[in-house]
Amino acid sequence: MKRIAIIGSGLIGRAWAMVFARAGWTASLFDPVEGVAMGALPLIASELAALSHLGLVDDPATSTARVHATTSLEQALEGADLVQESGPEDVDAKIDIFSRLDRIAPRETILASSTSAIVASRFTEKLPGRERCLVAHPVNPPHLVPVVELCGAPWTSPETIAKARGFYESVGQVPITVRREVDGFILNRLQGALLAEAFRLVSEGYVSPQDLDHTIKNGLGLRWSFMGPFETIELNAPGGIPDYCARYTGFYKRLQASPATPDAFGEAAVAEIIKQWGQPATPERVSTRMQWRNERLSALAAHKKSQPQT
Ligand SMILES: NC(=O)c1ccc[n+]([C@@H]2O[C@H](COP(=O)([O-])OP(=O)(O)OC[C@H]3O[C@@H](n4cnc5c(N)ncnc54)[C@H](O)[C@@H]3O)[C@@H](O)[C@H]2O)c1
């Protein structure tokens, strides 16, 4: 049986445990804050039970039994095929954690970080085992959103990337390879471009935030849940992508001549968005909406699982 060690048992660490345990791996959780790894177990058990009602986990009790809380890094790393570091988003913390992981983990173990925005070359450069380190950036929550961005440092070996790809595929995730380090990887660069334009359009008064959301959730986003932008444009002109580009890139060139600037996220723009959004930014509201989002995502994941993939 394959083993994963999850270092940091917060939101993302717990979700990774579910991904691997439901696919038959043993998952060992570690967290330096006392009680956190142990406290994750009942949360994982209840989430797996909920997922099983939608057919997203076959046997929640058996999956839950594969997840263990440990009390030391050494114990968590024992026999691990893959480490999924999911600690704080702070470069000094990552440097410290990775130096300990590289010292303790068996030589053949792959060391992956869940970091959202710190490239691996910033926290693995000095490690003797740096060729086995990479970023494996998930989307929250990874047990419902399968894409994972794999991005090595310049010294990460191609074998490490290939083996990691195989691991994530084998547990039902959809890995993509980022071929060289870039700030924001791929997903957040795309999200950032869209958000910058959304902030600009709302703060400059072209549309309300609610109507802008409609253009995604009742427009572009409907296709995006099963097609990417290249697959989309291929079907938006009878002659496919060459025809689409011949017809429409003049228009896009014109738009790109005045792109959103950092001012899109400036103080005035943010204040305007908050005012127009009009909802209280309370933890209660956010938590209720998160629960709602996870239920919708679960139903969508179940639907996608029931459909042919291409
Ligand atoms: N939350 C998201 O939407 C999201 C999405 C993708 C990636 N990530 C990345 O995943 C990582 C974890 O994020 P999260 O949202 O789960 O945060 P979190 O705060 O929920 O969990 C972090 C956990 O790390 C533990 N920790 C603290 N110091 C540690 C150490 N030295 N070694 C190991 N663990 C330590 C904390 O006790 C905590 O339980 C971050 O790098 C984050 O950028 C987060």
Side-chain angles (χ1 to χ4, degrees):
M1 198 186 283
K2 294 275 186 211
R3 300 183 78 91
I4 181 156
I6 290 161
I7 308 306
S9 309
L11 192 67
I12 292 295
R14 288 200 302 271
W16 275 126
M18 290 188 261
V19 167
F20 283 87
R22 76 180 169 189
W25 286 45
T26 299
S28 299
L29 294 178
F30 173 73
D31 198 290
V33 177
E34 205 184 323
V36 169
M38 191 56 91
L41 299 182
L43 300 174
I44 290 170
S46 73
E47 183 73 25
L48 284 172
L51 291 178
S52 74
H53 299 310
L54 286 158
L56 296 172
V57 178
D58 292 336
D59 180 350
T62 308
S63 298
T64 302
R66 293 190 197 105
V67 184
H68 308 280
T70 64
T71 51
S72 72
L73 203 54
E74 286 76 5
Q75 199 188 351
L77 295 177
E78 221 176 278
D81 297 281
L82 175 66
V83 173
Q84 189 75 42
E85 177 274 320
S86 304
E89 185 72 353
D90 171 88
V91 71
D92 293 325
K94 303 281 188 216
I95 289 172
D96 177 56
I97 298 169
F98 266 75
S99 77
R100 286 188 287 139
L101 294 178
D102 192 43
R103 206 168 53 240
I104 302 168
R107 204 69 191 86
E108 60 287 357
T109 307
I110 289 185
L111 308 180
S113 172
S114 297
T115 175
S116 303
I118 311 174
V119 290
S121 56
R122 294 185 62 202
F123 55 89
T124 63
E125 185 178 5
K126 301 200 162 49
L127 302 180
R130 63 186 191 164
E131 80 294 336
R132 59 165 163 164
C133 300
L134 77 160
V135 167
H137 170 230
V139 180
N140 183 38
H143 59 289
L144 297 176
V145 184
V147 81
V148 50
E149 299 186 279
L150 306 185
C151 183
W155 42 80
T156 304
S157 70
E159 294 73 30
T160 296
I161 302 285
K163 200 167 162 189
R165 249 192 113 106
F167 283 159
Y168 292 104
E169 270 164 5
S170 76
V171 298
Q173 299 301 98
V174 179
I176 66 141
T177 302
V178 182
R179 290 179 175 158
R180 62 177 188 279
E181 290 186 335
V182 59
D183 199 14
F185 306 117
I186 306 300
L187 186 140
N188 279 326
R189 291 184 77 87
L190 294 174
Q191 178 160 246
L194 185 67
L195 275 178
E197 193 57 35
F199 270 58
R200 170 162 76 162
L201 289 170
V202 172
S203 66
E204 291 184 5
Y206 293 99
V207 67
S208 70
Q210 292 75 18
D211 278 358
L212 187 132
D213 275 356
H214 276 304
T215 63
I216 299 298
K217 67 185 179 182
N218 292 307
L220 291 170
L222 289 178
R223 289 188 301 229
W224 285 351
S225 71
F226 62 97
M227 300 169 90
F230 291 112
E231 289 171 313
T232 299
I233 66 168
E234 186 185 26
L235 306 189
N236 281 359
I241 291 177
D243 188 14
Y244 185 92
C245 289
R247 289 172 190 237
Y248 302 115
T249 50
F251 164 68
Y252 289 123
K253 276 183 196 162
R254 216 166 58 238
L255 294 189
Q256 283 310 111
S258 52
T261 66
D263 284 345
F265 299 114
E267 237 174 83
V270 170
E272 186 57 29
I273 304 284
I274 292 168
K275 188 174 109 200
Q276 291 195 39
W277 185 240
Q279 299 292 342
T282 58
E284 293 73 27
R285 174 181 154 79
V286 173
S287 152
T288 309
R289 294 290 291 170
M290 274 184 183
Q291 180 68 27
W292 168 83
R293 176 201 63 194
N294 285 2
E295 282 162 15
R296 296 294 301 262
L297 272 174
S298 304
L300 183 59
H303 167 70
K304 284 185 65 131
K305 203 175 161 195
S306 72
Q307 299 296 306
Q309 289 309 298
T310 50

